[in-house]
């Protein structure tokens, strides 16, 4: 667990309750391009959102996260095996998976240790690595302006440095595998205002703001959102999804 920066254990229940769900189409596409569907691995699995969606396409899914609290709050599925372990040292067997996925997690990893672990875990006959991330929520109009101000101004000094990789759509990250062009995907849900506010509380910068200042930035942004929300009880929310997908161990055994 050396070097593990735990930004989310304290909010594990909120993370499960308020984080958006990935589109099912993403995992159907990943299953189609994977050379096999025997086993997949969810790295930095958090509460298991990716793992349970992979489980609809793969016979067995392993899911690892260094946060014991996140694993304790993970979504159960018969063919998902959760483990408390870092992505850089999973403890799984060599050549045991067809696909490795990392949803909203790759920017936290130690790349020099992580990528060799991916190569070790993927079958020597080849497999797929997919990392995906979503950035700032989009709702349209004045609500977006409030959220952008909260993100870029109020919380500007409280984001961890790794967040810059999310802002770049993971283009600033090293990626040592031959890449596969991915279709466009987005997360789309319909939320009421309390759900949106709950989601904002899961941001790592909110936790850091509270710890460093002794105050909570959420009530002020909630008041601003109430002023701009409008009469409708719920609104559509959207996050464009950025993907880096590559082939692993390609050509090792022709």
């Amino acid at each position: 667990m050396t070097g593990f920066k735990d930004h989310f254990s304290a909010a594990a229940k909120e993370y499960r309750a308020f984080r958006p769900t990935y589109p099912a189409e993403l995992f159907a596409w990943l299953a189609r391009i994977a050379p096999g569907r025997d086993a997949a691995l969810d790295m930095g699995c958090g509460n298991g959102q990716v793992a349970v969606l992979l489980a609809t396409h793969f016979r067995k899914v392993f899911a690892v996260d260094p946060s014991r609290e996140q694993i304790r709050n993970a979504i159960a599925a018969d063919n998902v095996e959760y483990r408390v372990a870092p992505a850089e040292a999973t403890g799984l067997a060599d050549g045991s998976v067809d696909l490795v996925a990392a949803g909203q997690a790759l920017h936290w990893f130690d790349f020099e240790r992580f990528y060799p672990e991916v190569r070790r875990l993927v079958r020597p006959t080849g497999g797929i690595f997919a990392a995906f991330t979503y950035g700032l929520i989009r709702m349209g109009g004045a609500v977006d302006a409030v959220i952008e101000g909260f993100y870029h101004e109020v919380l500007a000094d409280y984001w961890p440095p790794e967040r810059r990789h999310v802002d770049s759509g993971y283009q600033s990250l090293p990626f040592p595998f031959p890449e596969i062009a991915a279709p466009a995907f987005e997360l789309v849900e319909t939320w009421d205002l309390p759900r949106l506010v709950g989601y904002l509380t899961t941001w790592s910068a909110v936790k850091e703001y509270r710890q460093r200042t002794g105050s909570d930035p959420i009530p002020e942004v909630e008041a601003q959102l109430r002023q701009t929300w409008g009469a409708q009880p719920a609104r559509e929310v959207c996050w464009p999804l950025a993907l880096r997908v590559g082939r692993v161990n390609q050509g090792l055994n022709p």
Side-chain angles (χ1 to χ4, degrees):
M1 300 293 179
T2 303
F4 169 46
K5 300 177 181 179
D6 191 355
H7 295 286
F8 303 108
S9 286
K13 292 181 181 178
E14 291 82 1
Y15 198 90
R16 174 170 175 169
F18 296 121
R19 285 284 170 142
T21 302
Y22 292 99
E25 296 81 6
L26 166 64
F27 301 94
W29 177 72
L30 290 174
R32 284 198 300 272
I33 67 171
R37 298 192 185 185
D38 184 57
L41 169 61
D42 178 9
M43 294 282 216
C45 66
N47 61 14
Q49 291 173 315
V50 169
V52 295
L53 289 166
L54 287 171
T56 64
H57 297 282
F58 290 83
R59 185 189 63 82
K60 176 74 174 182
V61 175
F62 301 98
V64 301
D65 196 283
S67 168
R68 190 172 300 277
E69 195 63 24
Q70 286 278 22
I71 295 297
R72 187 176 291 118
N73 284 277
I75 307 164
D78 290 342
N79 60 332
V80 176
E81 178 183 321
Y82 290 103
R83 296 185 176 199
V84 178
E88 300 86 353
T90 62
L92 296 173
D94 292 359
S96 56
V97 300
D98 304 290
L99 177 139
V100 175
Q104 202 70 355
L106 180 60
H107 53 290
W108 301 118
F109 300 161
D110 178 343
F111 308 124
E112 291 186 0
R113 297 171 55 221
F114 172 71
Y115 286 126
E117 180 73 349
V118 172
R119 291 189 180 94
R120 184 185 71 80
L121 292 168
V122 169
R123 302 196 192 284
T125 50
I128 298 294
F129 172 66
F132 34 95
T133 185
Y134 53 89
L136 201 55
I137 189 171
R138 297 295 178 194
M139 303 182 68
V143 173
D144 279 1
V146 172
I147 294 174
E148 287 175 6
F150 186 57
Y151 182 95
H152 292 293
E153 297 171 17
V154 176
L155 300 178
D157 296 332
Y158 301 93
W159 288 107
E162 294 88 351
R163 182 70 189 185
R164 71 187 187 279
H165 298 306
V166 174
D167 293 334
S168 78
Y170 278 178
Q171 293 304 306
S172 55
L173 288 175
F175 197 86
F177 308 118
E179 290 203 51
I180 302 168
F185 297 101
E186 60 182 11
L187 291 75
V188 180
E189 298 194 357
T190 301
W191 282 2
D192 59 15
L193 181 57
R195 177 68 189 271
L196 172 62
V197 173
Y199 166 69
L200 297 180
T201 66
T202 69
W203 284 5
S204 59
V206 169
K207 172 193 166 188
E208 184 69 12
Y209 186 105
R210 289 167 171 167
Q211 289 182 339
R212 284 164 55 181
T213 69
S215 61
D216 190 349
I218 292 295
E220 176 62 26
V221 72
E222 182 176 5
Q224 294 175 16
L225 288 168
R226 288 189 184 282
Q227 292 175 357
T228 57
W229 187 261
Q232 64 269 53
R235 301 178 59 141
E236 183 177 275
V237 296
C238 175
W239 300 256
L241 200 61
L243 285 85
R244 303 288 301 272
V245 183
R247 300 192 184 280
V248 184
N249 297 340
Q250 185 179 40
L252 288 186
N253 286 324

